């Protein structure tokens, strides 16, 4: 029996308060309105940014359904939706692409002005949510809310992907993989034969390494304070791994000595101010490009001597690897299907959706790279 046009009752992980575990709740998901899409989630990754929302270091309205790295199948569409139809495999886009704003029309930029990231309203574009629980409206998270058996997203925040793709793998293209990979291939534009340094070897940092390798970097130096991360980094393309705790001098000095004055491309993939500065200083003062991938906790800032840039160094950053999401996600899925890069090594754990709190414990303890929750 078709569920189109009807309210769907299902399970979702609701965060009622910060610093508390999720409660698996029975919720109602209203049908999609015009230009909206209701999706049956099949798999979702657990990303560090979801944990930042739990801890409160990213602020978002509560109560909320988090999750932004999912993949699923379209259940029904609202009036006027043309880019997807029921039955299509899709990936929700936490960084949408409206196609009409100044940024979407810019050839190089990707951070669509219709995003719900900078000042989160916790709603769809019309200012409301389709979720209720115990008579209370529940907020959306980053236009996606994938920690629910069903979610509703705006059409500008969903991409149709190859019908043959394995959703329990390609869900990583919804955030972590694309953020890291794009930082190397699209934002830094890593060149063949170059030397790179990657600070932070979580799922995103390892995806930067995959990008550097794909782009033909000759040396990829992986930096992390957890040496247990080194084996996987090497498997994915790191040529050397260093632990700042093994040195008495600052790690940027170590990197400068290892690379004749500094690397061509450096990446901060941790989200800390001190490592952002180390990453910047480890890039060559005249020809280096340093990319900020991590986001520091709310309202922290760095004070920087302009001379660090005056000799020619470039300092930049991007969300979602600089990719225009709706255009790029289907292509990234196609590239995965064509075996241009792997996703499997990033997935260390697969758990049923109900074990979501366990998945976050694995992330916090540093035991997982990515846990994929299946519905
Ligand atoms: N020096 C070196 N390594 C460190 C240090 C340090 N001082 N502190 C921590 N690390 C290592 C950890 O051991 C770990 O291996 C790694 O850094 C971080 O990995 P994870 O697993 O915590 O994180 P990821 O890879 O899932 O995500 C990292 C981000 C920086 C991308 C993320 O936290 C973030 O800031 N996201 C916001 C950026 C963004 O684009 N957001 C949009 C949606 S996610
Ligand atoms: Zn994420
Ligand atoms: Zn736009």
């Amino acid at each position: 029996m078709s569920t189109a046009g009807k309210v769907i009752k299902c399970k979702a992980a609701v965060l009622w308060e910060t610093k508390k575990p999720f409660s698996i709740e029975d919720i109602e998901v209203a049908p999609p309105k015009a230009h909206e899409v209701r999706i049956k989630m099949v798999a979702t990754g657990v990303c560090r940014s979801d944990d930042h929302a739990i801890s409160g270091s990213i602020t978002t309205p509560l109560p909320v359904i988090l999750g932004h790295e999912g993949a699923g199948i379209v259940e029904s569409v609202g009036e006027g939706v043309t880019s997807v139809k029921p039955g299509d495999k899709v990936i929700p886009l936490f960084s949408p692409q409206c196609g009409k704003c100044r940024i979407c029309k810019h050839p190089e930029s990707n951070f669509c002005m219709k995003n719900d990231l900078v000042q989160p309203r916790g709603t769809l574009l019309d200012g409301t949510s389709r979720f209720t629980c115990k008579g209370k409206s529940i907020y959306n998270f980053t236009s996606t809310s994938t920690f629910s058996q069903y979610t509703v997203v705006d059409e500008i925040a969903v991409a149709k992907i190859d019908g043959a793709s394995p959703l329990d793998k390609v869900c990583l293209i919804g955030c972590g993989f694309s953020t890291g990979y794009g930082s190397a291939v699209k934002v830094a534009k890593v060149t063949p034969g170059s030397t790179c340094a990657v600070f932070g070897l979580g799922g995103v940092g390892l995806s930067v390494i995959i990008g550097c390798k794909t782009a033909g970097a000759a040396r990829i130096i992986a930096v992390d304070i957890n040496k247990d991360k080194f084996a996987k980094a090497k498997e994915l393309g790191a040529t050397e791994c260093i632990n700042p705790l093994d040195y008495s001098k600052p790690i940027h000095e170590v990197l400068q000595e290892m690379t004749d004055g500094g690397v061509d491309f450096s990446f901060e993939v941790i989200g800390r101010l001190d490592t952002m500065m180390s990453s910047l200083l480890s890039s060559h003062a005249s020809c280096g490009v340093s990319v900020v991938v991590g986001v520091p906790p709310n309202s922290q800032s760095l004070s920087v001597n302009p001379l660090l840039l005056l000799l020619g160094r470039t300092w930049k950053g991007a969300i979602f690897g600089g990719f225009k999401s709706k255009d790029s996600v289907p292509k990234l899925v196609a590239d995965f299907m064509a075996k241009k890069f792997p996703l499997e090594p990033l997935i260390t754990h697969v758990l049923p959706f109900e074990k979501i709190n366990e998945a976050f414990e694995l992330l916090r303890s540093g035991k997982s790279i990515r846990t994929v929750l299946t519905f």
Side-chain angles (χ1 to χ4, degrees), residues 124-329:
L124 298 177
L125 285 177
D126 81 339
T128 62
S129 152
R130 303 290 155 266
F131 302 127
T132 50
C133 177
K134 299 174 182 163
K136 208 172 164 21
S137 181
I138 308 292
Y139 285 104
N140 287 74
F141 180 62
T142 62
S143 321
T144 47
S145 293
T146 61
F147 295 162
S148 175
Q149 286 175 328
Y150 286 84
T151 190
V152 177
V153 301
D154 292 297
E155 188 182 8
I156 64 166
V158 62
K160 178 179 171 174
I161 57 167
D162 183 344
S165 52
L167 298 180
D168 57 349
K169 313 256 174 346
V170 298
C171 58
L172 299 197
I173 290 174
C175 178
F177 174 76
S178 309
T179 298
Y181 183 77
S183 297
V185 303
K186 184 141 177 59
V187 184
K189 299 192 184 1
V190 168
T191 48
S194 61
T195 297
C196 303
V198 181
F199 288 73
L201 305 176
V204 183
L206 292 171
S207 301
V208 173
I209 291 178
I210 296 174
C212 294
K213 187 176 172 190
T214 309
R219 285 178 80 190
I220 304 171
I221 308 171
V223 184
D224 202 296
I225 49 172
N226 180 352
K227 64 176 175 15
D228 296 345
K229 305 275 178 162
F230 292 165
K232 187 77 79 167
K234 286 207 163 144
E235 179 191 329
L236 290 171
T239 52
E240 292 130 279
C241 294
I242 56 174
N243 183 345
L245 302 177
D246 290 344
Y247 299 87
S248 53
K249 61 176 116 176
I251 201 68
H252 69 265
E253 288 180 17
V254 175
L255 281 156
Q256 285 166 356
E257 283 165 17
M258 286 169 75
T259 60
D260 190 20
V263 298
D264 298 300
F265 302 98
S266 72
F267 302 86
E268 199 279 355
V269 207
I270 304 165
R272 293 174 56 97
L273 298 184
D274 58 346
T275 45
M276 283 175 196
M277 191 49 88
S278 302
S279 172
L280 180 67
L281 293 171
S282 70
S283 67
H284 192 280
S286 298
C287 63
V289 175
S290 185
V291 180
V292 174
V293 185
V295 174
N298 278 336
S299 67
Q300 287 190 1
S301 58
L302 274 173
S303 142
V304 175
N305 181 339
L307 287 178
L308 290 180
L309 304 178
L310 213 65
L311 304 187
R313 187 189 255 131
T314 305
W315 197 20
K316 59 200 296 196
I319 294 287
F320 199 56
F323 287 122
K324 286 185 187 290
S325 58
K326 199 156 168 136
D327 292 345
S328 303
V329 162

